[in-house]
Amino acid sequence: MTEPTNVEQELLLGIEAGIAQLFRSGKSALRDYSHGFHPELQPTGFNILRMIFTCAPAQASAIIQQTGLDKSAVSRQIKVLRDLGLVDTQPDPHDGRSSFLVPTPLAEERMEILRQRVKNDYRDRLVEWTADELATFSALLERFNASDPRA
């Protein structure tokens, strides 16, 4: 691999700065969305809930593996989600010692409202982008995220 030129180094630093800003913006949106979903829901719990939606039915062990969070942290957040009426458990039909996490009807209702809000937020932010620009941006984000060896 050749050493990047000065121009390439500047571009890489600009990309890093842009991603850092995107990360800060994403953290802020996550706090806002989690609080809007339920005032007592922390961003970590909201991320776990989103994972449960994506993988439902989901096992706690899969969430631990996917998030890289400590088992006790995931257990605490699942307890909060259950106490808030957002997650329920179903027995694993193949293993009586195990159970699956599923969103409750309340969580499904609130998630649909949130999805509409997210779509509106991004539509407003990207209103001046062409369909080709949106497709390119989406494809490049997917390619970038797929290239992360830590993912």
Side-chain angles (χ1 to χ4, degrees):
M1 181 176 232
T2 62
E3 184 68 26
T5 67
N6 287 340
V7 170
E8 290 170 330
Q9 288 178 6
E10 289 301 313
L11 287 171
L12 292 172
L13 289 174
I15 290 168
E16 187 280 330
I19 290 172
Q21 177 59 43
L22 185 63
F23 184 71
R24 288 188 299 274
S25 175
K27 280 182 71 171
S28 177
L30 178 63
R31 282 191 306 272
D32 186 41
Y33 291 150
S34 64
H35 187 265
F37 197 89
H38 193 287
E40 297 177 43
L41 187 58
Q42 297 295 314
T44 301
F46 181 66
N47 270 335
I48 290 171
L49 180 61
R50 287 187 358 183
M51 187 169 293
I52 291 169
F53 267 94
T54 301
C55 304
Q59 291 187 307
S61 59
I63 293 169
I64 292 165
Q65 184 178 12
Q66 290 278 343
T67 62
L69 292 171
D70 181 79
K71 181 180 179 178
S72 62
V74 171
S75 294
R76 280 191 305 275
Q77 291 302 318
I78 290 171
K79 181 182 180 334
V80 169
L81 291 168
R82 290 184 72 186
D83 290 348
L84 295 175
L86 301 172
V87 169
D88 206 353
T89 57
Q90 294 177 343
D92 182 340
H94 305 292
D95 182 355
R97 300 167 296 167
S98 182
S99 63
F100 289 109
L101 299 164
V102 293
T104 63
L106 173 64
E108 290 173 0
E109 179 183 309
R110 289 184 179 186
M111 187 60 78
E112 186 52 40
I113 293 167
L114 178 67
R115 284 182 181 133
Q116 279 306 122
R117 180 178 170 208
V118 169
K119 285 190 277 187
N120 291 339
D121 288 351
Y122 278 87
R123 185 194 64 232
D124 292 348
R125 192 168 184 176
L126 301 169
V127 69
E128 294 183 12
W129 291 39
T130 67
D132 285 344
E133 289 172 326
L134 292 172
T136 299
F137 186 55
S138 178
L140 290 172
L141 277 174
E142 187 175 325
R143 181 177 170 195
F144 178 77
N145 288 329
S147 71
D148 185 358
R150 296 164 294 198

